[in-house]
Amino acid sequence: MPIIRQGSLFDLQDLYELEPTHRFESVFSTIEMDPILAIVSKKALYGAPVQLNYAAMIYSLTARILERIPTIKDLIKRLKNDYMFRLDCGFLLSDAIPSEASYSRMLTKLEESDVLERVQETQILQAIIEGFVTDDTIAIDATHIEARDQAPAKVEKAKPGPKKRGRKSKEEQEKWVQEQAEREAALSVFEKPIEAQLDTPLNDLRSSVPTDPKWGIKKNSEGKNAYWYGYKGHLAVGTKSQYILQSLFSSGNLNDGKAAIPLLKGIHERLSTLPISKCTLDAGYDYPAIYEQIYRIGAQSIIAYNKKNEPEPVGFDKYFAPTCVREHSYLYDSYDATYETLKYTRPKECKDCPLAEDTLCQKVYKVKITTDLRRYTAPARGSKAWKNLYKQRIAVERVIAYLKEFFQLNNVRYRTGKRAKVHFDLTQLVYNGAKLACDRIAKVLSEKEMTQAA
């Protein structure tokens, strides 16, 4: 029997156990610096001479997240007192240590550009080219991010006056209809129903996301409402590789479902080489428009069903599998991708049923998923294959836990949503960079083992 040799594993914990110099070099090598330098560097030849090492400043912001340094002030103190850390970040001994104001000006330039998003996409594409991202299933979820600033006092809305009794006149009705139409036309795409996003271009969706800190609400582990003031981070993660493939940063009051379509469109348009065939999401994303978007990109929906006070279907079980006359559920058999059809076979209980030969109890039942994309998925709801795919959704929860525990996602110290988004983008850039660094090291170790074995 041949010996099966398992490849060397190298994870994030192993990365943190490396010497700081090697750890920084491994992560810095995954970040394309030129586009960022083009944004933050001085453009004009006139004025005061350039005395700042912008590349080292960017690397130091990355190192701040890796080293879990809480504030820019603490980062500057570390740079002044730790010469090895200073050299690891790329500063020369002759370079002046930047001030807090210098870092603030650089962050302002970053918040006015989408350069960090573009560098993230380049980083993911590089991981795909090197063969580390081959996912066919993605998981989407959101996490709350608290703002450091104290929440503003709630302003009580003025109570409307008493309504005019009786029917409106024709002129009043026409005026009211016109006002309603004008009010709806003035709404942004994220204030409209989710269906409005289906035909909206990706760039328009991303540019209109609200990012100001707002009050958010969620259910805690006890099923009670928990409130926070701040933001939300929406992530689409590869369930196998656990890379962050797409992300969205929004105000805390944005519904989770309204971020799903931009994430799905982003993966389809910007990472088209990935063979995404399954999208797994929790019940908070159970909206017909999201099923439609997943269908449009050629994938299947693995989304927990939310009854929403709907009546029980007649002739079907809770997973929408057809039932026989005696209300036994048909068994899911297979999915025909050519005709987009689910195939169900006769229940085992019907083997000795006197109605087995009756036309009312057919042997095979077929249904097209396009009949109702929300109810019929491939594989079918309730099947073992569906449940196994849904379990993969835990990948996005694991990534969120990593971001908060190791990459300071919950350490937002800025007053504006634009500046907080820069921090959000940096945490993802460092996380994906750390993942790519780990995969590269693991590949080298595996090749060495194979060489030694040969």
Side-chain angles (χ1 to χ4, degrees):
M1 179 182 293
I3 299 175
I4 300 175
R5 180 178 293 274
Q6 183 178 3
S8 299
L9 300 178
F10 192 91
D11 59 15
L12 291 176
Q13 189 61 41
D14 295 326
L15 182 69
Y16 275 98
E17 292 176 0
L18 292 177
E19 291 293 327
T21 300
H22 296 153
R23 180 166 67 247
F24 294 150
E25 287 178 355
S26 300
V27 176
F28 293 166
S29 65
T30 68
I31 300 174
E32 188 181 18
M33 187 59 64
D34 291 342
I36 304 177
L37 288 176
I39 296 296
V40 302
S41 299
K42 185 180 176 182
K43 305 295 189 299
L45 298 175
Y46 305 101
V50 176
Q51 297 179 344
L52 297 175
N53 188 337
Y54 289 108
M57 289 176 68
I58 296 167
Y59 284 139
S60 66
L61 289 176
T62 303
R64 176 199 162 206
I65 294 174
L66 277 173
E67 293 291 286
R68 306 168 200 169
I69 300 173
T71 64
I72 297 294
K73 184 177 181 179
D74 292 324
L75 173 62
I76 294 171
K77 187 183 295 184
R78 175 83 176 269
L79 289 170
K80 289 180 178 179
N81 298 331
D82 189 339
Y83 285 97
M84 286 303 299
F85 178 74
R86 181 174 173 179
L87 294 174
D88 289 340
C89 290
F91 287 102
L92 302 176
L93 294 178
S94 58
D95 288 336
I97 301 300
S99 64
E100 288 187 66
S102 298
Y103 276 105
S104 180
R105 286 192 291 270
M106 187 176 72
L107 291 172
T108 299
K109 292 180 180 179
L110 291 176
E111 74 182 40
E112 295 171 352
S113 168
D114 64 346
V115 65
L116 292 180
E117 293 181 11
R118 289 188 276 113
V119 172
Q120 286 178 53
E121 290 178 12
T122 303
Q123 194 180 57
I124 286 295
L125 289 172
Q126 184 61 37
I128 294 173
I129 292 171
E130 295 184 26
F132 299 128
V133 181
T134 57
D135 299 273
D136 61 354
T137 303
I138 61 170
I140 294 177
D141 205 355
T143 183
H144 73 284
I145 305 171
E146 293 188 11
R148 285 284 174 173
D149 285 350
Q150 185 177 1
K154 293 184 178 180
V155 179
E156 293 186 4
K157 296 181 180 180
K159 294 182 179 180
K163 294 183 179 180
K164 182 180 178 181
R165 301 178 70 88
R167 297 180 61 182
K168 293 184 177 68
S169 64
K170 184 177 180 180
E171 292 77 11
E172 290 176 331
Q173 181 69 17
E174 291 177 351
K175 182 180 179 182
W176 179 83
V177 170
Q178 184 178 358
E179 289 176 351
Q180 287 291 105
E182 292 174 354
R183 190 178 295 110
E184 291 180 4
L187 295 176
S188 70
V189 67
F190 283 94
E191 293 174 321
K192 296 178 182 178
I194 299 178
E195 288 74 14
Q197 298 181 7
L198 288 171
D199 298 321
T200 304
L202 176 61
N203 290 336
D204 292 346
L205 287 174
R206 296 194 70 92
S207 62
S208 57
V209 179
T211 58
D212 293 332
K214 298 290 184 181
W215 279 101
I217 181 173
K218 65 173 183 176
K219 293 284 186 182
N220 58 22
S221 58
E222 299 177 355
K224 298 180 180 179
N225 290 335
Y227 299 88
W228 84 94
Y229 179 75
Y231 316 96
K232 272 186 181 179
H234 309 267
L235 304 175
V237 173
T239 58
K240 181 180 177 182
S241 66
Q242 295 187 22
Y243 278 83
I244 301 172
L245 304 179
Q246 285 286 294
S247 65
L248 203 68
F249 181 81
S250 74
S251 302
N253 63 346
L254 185 72
N255 183 285
D256 291 357
K258 291 188 176 182
I261 290 179
L263 294 175
L264 293 166
K265 285 188 175 183
I267 291 176
H268 181 63
E269 295 180 18
R270 300 178 178 180
L271 304 175
S272 57
T273 56
L274 280 180
I276 301 300
S277 60
K278 302 289 189 300
C279 302
T280 175
L281 305 90
D282 64 25
Y285 297 88
D286 182 28
Y287 292 93
I290 296 177
Y291 290 91
E292 175 65 26
Q293 180 60 44
I294 294 174
Y295 178 74
R296 288 185 182 185
I297 67 175
Q300 297 293 337
S301 307
I302 309 296
I303 305 177
Y305 195 82
N306 189 348
K307 289 186 177 180
K308 301 177 182 177
N309 298 323
E310 298 175 4
E312 291 291 336
V314 178
F316 299 87
D317 65 10
K318 63 179 180 180
Y319 298 117
F320 307 106
T323 57
C324 68
V325 178
R326 299 177 66 181
E327 297 187 353
H328 296 302
S329 299
Y330 275 67
L331 303 177
Y332 170 66
D333 180 82
S334 60
Y335 172 67
D336 187 339
T338 303
Y339 298 100
E340 299 181 328
T341 302
L342 297 174
K343 178 182 177 182
Y344 293 89
T345 57
R346 180 180 287 170
K348 295 179 180 179
E349 295 84 354
C350 295
K351 183 178 180 180
D352 301 321
C353 178
L355 300 175
E357 302 303 324
D358 197 307
T359 56
L360 296 175
C361 190
Q362 60 195 70
K363 292 182 178 180
V364 176
Y365 193 101
K366 294 183 178 182
V367 59
K368 291 182 70 67
I369 62 171
T370 50
T371 304
D372 189 334
L373 292 173
R374 184 167 169 244
R375 292 187 172 186
Y376 301 111
T377 64
R381 290 185 180 277
S383 64
K384 186 176 180 180
W386 189 96
K387 292 177 180 177
N388 287 337
L389 284 168
Y390 186 72
K391 288 178 182 177
Q392 296 183 28
R393 196 187 65 83
I394 196 173
V396 67
E397 296 177 352
R398 186 178 294 115
V399 170
I400 289 172
Y402 282 146
L403 290 174
K404 289 193 171 183
E405 184 174 356
F406 297 107
F407 297 93
Q408 301 199 68
L409 181 60
N410 56 352
N411 185 30
V412 175
R413 293 178 174 270
Y414 303 112
R415 295 178 180 275
T416 64
K418 288 185 177 181
R419 184 66 62 88
K421 184 181 181 300
V422 172
H423 178 83
F424 178 72
D425 290 337
L426 280 172
T427 58
Q428 294 173 77
L429 194 63
V430 176
Y431 170 81
N432 280 340
K435 284 285 297 177
L436 183 53
C438 289
D439 288 339
R440 286 174 174 175
I441 294 172
K443 183 178 180 180
V444 171
L445 293 176
S446 180
E447 290 174 351
K448 284 183 178 180
E449 286 188 0
M450 293 176 64
T451 303
Q452 291 174 357

